[in-house]
Amino acid sequence: FIVVTQPPQVPANSDPAEGARARAFVDWSRIDPRDTPLVTPERVAAKIAEDGAAHHLYPLEVAALTVTALRSVGVEAMLAELFAFEGDRSPADPSGRLGYFIPVLSEAPPEKVALLDPYGGRSGKLASAEYQVLTDLQAVGLALSLRAIYLLTRDQDLEGAMADTDAALKLAPRSPSVRGVRALVTLGSSSGAQAQSELEAASQIRPDASRRNNLAGLLLVMGDVDGAARQVALALEQYPDYAAAQVTLASVHLARMEQEQARVALQTAEKLDPRIPLVHMVWAQYHARRRQWDEAIG
């Protein structure tokens, strides 16, 4: 479990970006949670020492390791939740729940904050509207939120997930990622209206494509196809290369019996991200609508 403090066991020379170059970890779709729980910075440091292991790490884990390593050598650093990279055509956090995180140097004035991105290896300037610095307690809230997803989806522990999201909301109520996880957990308890309320709150905090796409998915489940279409259109207007939103768009087209448009959206999603989750399920729905049973089963 991640707590951003100053653990002396984390090597000061731990370099997540170097680990990425050695394929110790690789980027992945980051839509669904992985099947292993969140780990401590010390364990992340061990993982990035394994050349070629190709671990799936969370940006929170890599950023937390960087913060602890910087603090261990006396550099004042904080964890920050990053929402957008300037000029990108897809969101930093396509899930709207797992989050994207970076370290920031505490002593730097806001107008001179440099982008330090150990997960993706980017550098440059950082606009204040693109990130939110977290206190250590807020960082714990984000970690609890990630653990809640694991408990819900992998352990089927709804009670534990609800308890973690309760605590996460108290610690980091202004994080749209925390609100997104809360929506997922409340949906697991069959509370569609409460889930919609949480997603709408997330969209008010951060009205971006990830939040809109999640809201579109829920509206589809609740039968509001027109509402879903509006939200996913806004998501793709902001990020045209957002693969998960293309999958949602395909589902909207299928709900409207627009089979050709659904096919195009699915093909676009696969081209943008061949690993995108849910695309096979929506393809199966597409083939079933066309009575292509062998393709739907396959």
Side-chain angles (χ1 to χ4, degrees):
F1 190 72
I2 289 180
V3 178
V4 184
T5 55
Q6 293 189 9
Q9 297 93 341
V10 177
N13 62 348
S14 295
D15 185 350
E18 187 64 37
R21 286 190 290 272
R23 291 187 62 79
F25 70 91
V26 296
D27 198 10
W28 42 299
S29 290
R30 289 184 284 112
I31 300 293
D32 294 333
R34 66 174 187 233
D35 57 3
T36 55
L38 201 67
V39 296
T40 62
E42 184 177 9
R43 180 61 185 134
V44 175
K47 285 177 176 290
I48 66 171
E50 301 172 9
D51 288 1
H55 291 292
H56 286 175
L57 299 178
Y58 289 123
L60 177 61
E61 292 170 326
V62 176
L65 169 63
T66 307
V67 170
T68 53
L70 288 168
R71 290 184 181 183
S72 71
V73 293
V75 177
E76 292 293 329
M78 300 291 288
L79 197 69
E81 186 171 9
L82 184 138
F83 303 112
F85 288 108
E86 185 178 358
D88 272 12
R89 291 172 60 86
S90 59
D93 172 27
S95 73
R97 293 182 290 266
L98 303 181
Y100 198 96
F101 301 88
I102 58 171
V104 294
L105 303 184
S106 307
E107 65 271 17
E111 67 275 9
K112 293 186 178 180
V113 172
L115 171 60
L116 303 174
D117 178 22
Y119 190 87
R122 300 188 186 213
S123 60
K125 293 183 178 180
L126 191 60
S128 59
E130 296 172 345
Y131 72 99
Q132 177 64 50
V133 177
L134 304 170
T135 67
D136 285 357
L137 284 178
Q138 289 170 333
V140 171
L142 269 299
L144 282 167
S145 189
L146 274 183
R147 188 172 73 172
I149 299 180
Y150 174 81
L151 291 175
L152 178 70
T153 61
R154 304 304 181 187
D155 282 0
Q156 287 74 56
D157 182 1
L158 178 59
E159 183 178 351
M162 189 68 74
D164 274 356
T165 59
D166 284 343
L169 272 176
K170 291 177 182 177
L171 294 171
R174 296 293 299 170
S175 168
S177 300
V178 167
R179 292 284 181 173
V181 173
R182 179 70 171 186
L184 187 66
V185 173
T186 54
L187 189 61
S189 63
S190 301
S191 180
Q194 188 177 353
Q196 182 175 349
S197 177
E198 292 292 348
L199 288 178
E200 288 172 347
S203 293
Q204 289 173 2
I205 295 169
R206 189 76 192 181
D208 60 10
S210 299
R211 261 50 72 169
R212 294 188 186 282
N213 185 57
N214 286 345
L215 182 56
L218 178 61
L219 291 174
L220 268 177
V221 171
M222 298 176 69
D224 184 358
V225 178
D226 290 341
R230 286 192 295 271
Q231 293 297 324
V232 78
L234 289 169
L236 286 168
E237 181 180 339
Q238 182 181 10
Y239 289 118
D241 292 347
Y242 186 6
Q246 289 287 348
V247 176
T248 305
L249 178 61
S251 295
V252 168
H253 285 311
L254 285 177
R256 290 175 164 175
M257 306 302 292
E258 298 167 347
Q259 297 179 12
E260 178 60 21
Q261 293 95 318
R263 181 186 65 80
V264 171
L266 287 171
Q267 289 176 336
T268 300
E270 287 187 318
K271 184 180 296 184
L272 292 170
D273 183 359
R275 307 158 298 180
I276 187 74
L278 289 181
V279 69
H280 299 299
M281 181 184 301
V282 182
W283 268 123
Q285 294 170 353
Y286 167 81
H287 289 301
R289 292 286 177 87
R290 297 173 64 84
R291 299 184 180 276
Q292 298 169 333
W293 306 118
D294 289 342
E295 291 86 347
I297 295 171

